[in-house]
Amino acid sequence: MLCRAIALIGVLLAASGAAAAQEITAPGPATLRALVDSDGVRPGTTVRAVLQVTLPADRKGLHTNANKPRDPNLIPTELTLEPPAGISVAEIVYPEPVDLEQVGADQPLAVYEHEFSIGVVFEVGRDVASGDVTVAGTLRYQACDEKQCYFPKNLPAEWTVRIVGRNAAVNAVNTEAFARIPFGRGQKPGLAADIRPRPEPAGAASAATSEERARDAVARLDDFAVAGMTVGYLGAEDFLQFIRDAEAGVVQKGLFEGRGPLAILLIVFLGGLALNLTPCVLPMIPINLAIIGAGSQAGSRSRGFLLGSVYGAAMAFVYGVLGLIVVLTAGTFGTINSSPWFNLAIALVFVVLGLAMFDLLVIDFSSLGSRFRVSEQGRGTLVVAFSMGAIAALLAGACVAPVVVQVVLLSSNMYAAGTTAALALPFVLGVGMAVPWPLAGAGISALPRPGAWMVAVKQVFGVVILGTALYYGYESYLLFSNRWVDASEVSASVEEKLKAGWQPVLADGLAAASAEGKPVLIDLWATWCKNCLVMDRTTLANQDVTRALSGYVKVKLQAEDLDQSPAREVLQRVKSSGLPTYVILKPKR
């Protein structure tokens, strides 16, 4: 065990993290500055506004697609406005894009670079009372660099417009910010795309902002219980079964629940036991027993059994703790795992690990094992036995580390999907590896004779690891293909659902459900989600599904950025990591 790789598991985890670094370390949000051109506005007149956008300066080459990109499959930069009662939008002026040559593209991309401004003209009604009025908006954009595009973001923006008397004096302000904006040449905003009228609640002094609505939605979630959740495309029959299960209180089963948990644990346990038969481990067992003073040097079988047990327990303890640290600290694993780049990186890592199991690649840090020495005085003590077992687990050999990484990733994936028992998988693997050590320490087991058969055992693990690489590669392909979709088609499909009575705002939907005592269906979607469009056109258009949902409050919750509220809180609550996600909620009272 001490003969080969030092901390290979750390190297491999670092490698996978580095391969997916662009996804994990996405650039921060743009800086927004909302300005108006006057210190006061008289009723019945207009006021010009501007939204200044600055992309993060620490990332070279960042840009966003123009409002009307040449390629219709690209996600445009859009400003959506939510004017309160008495305020309307007369014009939105997007900047002129610049051309960006890109390798492999048949035409230049139309983009906005590091700093750009969007102009808006607000019309103030004749009956608007004096005082400050807040106009809210949302900037939707997707940042890209020369290598890749990142998840789209939706950033809130607010303008404060001071309404003054009809005869009050007003002064121009922020003149430099408006100098280069060609007002009068902009576009008339379309109701569906650029303006979302925000009805004012009865008795409220002013309409809520987007941030306030998100906070309201998150708070209202506590009044509901999750009755069911499903992810991805489902046919009409499967979706109807999903509804029936949620209504009947049938809990969706995880990978362990009702599906042979003992069999899964047994497979992992036997895998740990079989690792003792690989050429990195088996020949070293007698040597490591001698180092800790067990085996023939123990003096008695009971003493040897105890030393071997402590040595093996330390291995199981280290793998268990390692698994808990990786799984529980990876709070964004579900989001990361929904990235095609992350899955592709994991597939490539497992290809390398699989080839190493066939000795096509060699990683050898055996010289580092000589740094760990045990004095004659320390030999035969429980402290030394535990320490050497822990070190042996950390210094996982080339035959062991790939399997450990595989089990930890499996544990992380299953835990993110809601299977809490998956946390035990790394520990069970360690228990399997630890089983022979008490018997060998007591001298009551006959170790197999090393030979060529050990290479076959190692290669069996190699086949399993390469199979895992194929799985992650296929997942990456599916995630990539799910994004090959025209964003305008998805938006148009959602608009049809909104016209049919679906709610566009989660807070409003939850409020209506609470008042009427109805269940809620939340459909989390994004314009880059192909299966969201397919579900809208097929399953959700099915007459039987429509009838089954007739008594529900139905909400279309846009989740362009999976880390933005309230979509983030909904996805975390149901432990989902992809789109489309469908959640059924029931009022708690």
Side-chain angles (χ1 to χ4, degrees), residues 78-116:
E78 292 180 328
L79 177 61
T80 301
L81 299 167
E82 301 175 14
I87 304 293
S88 61
V89 180
E91 180 185 30
I92 298 179
V93 185
Y94 290 97
E96 285 295 320
V98 299
D99 288 343
L100 177 66
E101 298 287 345
Q102 189 175 56
V103 177
D106 55 0
Q107 59 181 339
L109 300 180
V111 302
Y112 302 144
E113 294 190 310
H114 178 60
E115 295 181 354
F116 60 93

Side-chain angles (χ1 to χ4, degrees), residues 75 140 152 485-488 490-491 525-530 558 560:
I75 295 177
R140 175 177 174 271
V485 62
D486 187 340
S488 62
V490 182
S491 297
W525 65 280
T527 55
W528 43 262
C529 172
K530 180 180 180 181
Q558 191 168 5
E560 295 294 320

Side-chain angles (χ1 to χ4, degrees), residues 41-374:
V41 186
R42 304 183 188 96
T45 62
T46 62
V47 61
R48 296 187 304 176
V50 65
L51 184 66
Q52 296 181 329
V53 183
T54 304
L55 299 177
D58 59 342
R59 290 297 185 91
K60 182 179 179 181
L62 274 185
H63 59 270
T64 72
N65 296 311
N67 173 250
K68 295 181 179 180
R70 295 188 178 95
D71 185 346
N73 292 318
L74 297 178
I75 295 177
T77 297
E78 292 180 328
L79 177 61
T80 301
L81 299 167
E82 301 175 14
I87 304 293
S88 61
V89 180
E91 180 185 30
I92 298 179
V93 185
Y94 290 97
E96 285 295 320
V98 299
D99 288 343
L100 177 66
E101 298 287 345
Q102 189 175 56
V103 177
D106 55 0
Q107 59 181 339
L109 300 180
V111 302
Y112 302 144
E113 294 190 310
H114 178 60
E115 295 181 354
F116 60 93
S117 298
I118 301 174
V120 184
V121 176
F122 295 122
E123 291 182 342
V124 181
R126 295 182 179 276
D127 298 326
V128 177
S130 298
D132 289 346
V133 175
T134 298
V135 181
T138 301
L139 178 69
R140 175 177 174 271
Y141 72 95
Q142 184 178 36
C144 303
D145 56 27
E146 67 276 6
K147 295 182 179 180
Q148 66 171 313
C149 287
Y150 302 92
F151 276 127
K153 291 184 181 295
N154 293 285
L155 302 183
E158 286 186 356
W159 290 266
T160 299
V161 179
R162 173 167 292 181
I163 310 299
V164 297
R166 297 183 183 277
N167 299 318
V170 296
N171 300 301
V173 294
N174 304 313
T175 54
E176 292 184 3
F178 293 85
R180 297 183 180 180
I181 299 178
F183 286 101
R185 301 180 184 178
Q187 63 189 50
K188 297 293 182 180
L191 181 61
D194 300 309
I195 301 181
R196 294 179 184 171
R198 188 177 51 194
E200 198 168 347
S206 62
T209 65
S210 297
E211 287 185 346
E212 290 171 343
R213 287 194 165 196
R215 288 193 295 268
D216 183 28
V218 173
R220 288 182 181 273
L221 284 174
D222 293 332
D223 297 330
F224 292 81
V226 178
M229 185 276 291
T230 187
V231 181
Y233 175 81
L234 288 180
E237 287 301 320
D238 290 334
F239 198 83
L240 286 169
Q241 186 62 49
F242 161 66
I243 296 172
R244 287 191 290 266
D245 287 346
E247 291 175 346
V250 177
V251 179
Q252 299 295 313
K253 295 180 179 180
L255 291 177
F256 274 111
E257 299 169 316
R259 302 182 185 181
L262 293 179
I264 296 176
L265 291 171
L266 181 61
I267 290 172
V268 175
F269 173 80
L270 292 177
L273 188 62
L275 285 175
N276 290 294
L277 303 178
T278 59
C280 303
V281 179
L282 183 60
M284 298 302 298
I285 291 179
I287 298 174
N288 289 343
L289 288 174
I291 291 175
I292 65 174
S296 59
Q297 302 182 36
S300 68
R301 285 191 172 183
S302 60
R303 182 65 180 175
F305 185 89
L306 179 60
L307 290 171
S309 298
V310 172
Y311 184 94
M315 296 174 62
F317 174 78
V318 167
Y319 287 135
V321 171
L322 174 65
L324 288 175
I325 292 174
V326 172
V327 175
L328 296 181
T329 58
T332 59
F333 184 85
T335 303
I336 296 170
N337 197 38
S338 67
S339 160
W341 295 104
F342 175 78
N343 282 270
L344 180 60
I346 293 299
L348 294 176
V349 168
F350 277 121
V351 167
V352 173
L353 297 177
L355 294 177
M357 298 298 272
F358 287 95
D359 294 325
L360 297 177
L361 296 173
V362 177
I363 305 174
D364 191 354
F365 297 102
S366 58
S367 61
L368 297 175
S370 61
R371 296 184 180 182
F372 298 94
R373 302 287 185 184
V374 177

